Amino acid sequence: VSRYAVREPDAIAVFKAGQPKEPVDPLSFFDNPDQILNAEPVDFVVNSIIPKNRYTGFVALSGSRKTIIACNLVRSVLTGEPFLGKFPVDCTPERVLLFAAESARSELKERMENLGLVSFLQSRKLLIRSAAANGSFHQDQIPESLLAGSLCIFDTFVRFFDGTSEQDSVEARKFSAQMQRIVNAGATVISLDGTATKGT
């Protein structure tokens, strides 16, 4: 075989490269009208506040009692009582996963008792990972079998953020992708964020 001969795969590649490209419809980049107009309506865990199977955040200044609000949300979705006495619970989750990375077990015990949530904790409908839990933790470690139909609460955002700065756009995209993985597994996600500053 001549050393100048072109191998068949190379010849095919050269041939294809010389062919005119199929025209691309520029509108195909966007959703078509039917996809928008026939989209299913949004379901809510808590009416008008917590959309089901979405990623939502509560943002407030440090010390603004975000954890207390989150615990009251846990109580509402488990008991079916209106959130903050005002917002109806539309869809009770199969379980609640509370990642309380800033709360000691003694604090959580007191809150569970005061809010009447001990029975849900004992029945394992409420699962808690406290600041005292052994070993390192990453949100990718949550078993997908527990995610479907669950409400996941991350308290607070910064404890589950891999980057050194919340302003790091690369790390923020990674965190967002991790939260989306949980949503794609069938969970509703709430992340508490205390990095806000006055005037924002």
Side-chain angles (χ1 to χ4, degrees), residues 55-134:
Y55 170 41
T56 306
F58 289 174
V59 181
L61 294 171
S62 180
S64 298
R65 298 180 178 268
K66 294 181 298 299
T67 298
I68 298 298
I69 291 174
C71 286
N72 276 277
L73 173 62
V74 170
R75 183 179 187 277
S76 290
V77 299
L78 289 174
T79 65
E81 295 179 11
F83 178 47
L84 303 178
K86 181 177 180 181
F87 302 98
V89 174
D90 288 351
C91 180
T92 302
E94 292 184 24
R95 69 190 62 82
V96 175
L97 312 182
L98 175 59
F99 300 95
E102 297 184 346
S103 298
R105 287 173 179 160
S106 56
E107 294 175 283
L108 290 163
K109 174 188 175 183
E110 183 177 356
R111 287 172 181 156
M112 296 304 104
E113 290 175 343
N114 290 341
L115 292 169
L117 297 177
V118 172
S119 62
F120 295 103
L121 191 61
Q122 291 173 330
S123 69
R124 310 294 276 172
K125 188 161 185 179
L126 170 59
L127 303 175
I128 299 176
R129 186 178 176 95
S130 71
N134 293 326

Side-chain angles (χ1 to χ4, degrees), residues 43-55:
D43 291 327
F44 286 87
V45 174
V46 175
N47 191 272
S48 302
I49 296 182
I50 311 295
K52 184 180 179 183
N53 199 211
R54 298 287 193 278
Y55 170 41

Side-chain angles (χ1 to χ4, degrees), residues 101-102 137 139 155-161:
E102 297 184 346
F137 168 77
Q139 49 268 35
D155 183 13
T156 62
F157 159 80
V158 70
R159 299 295 182 185
F160 303 95
F161 187 81

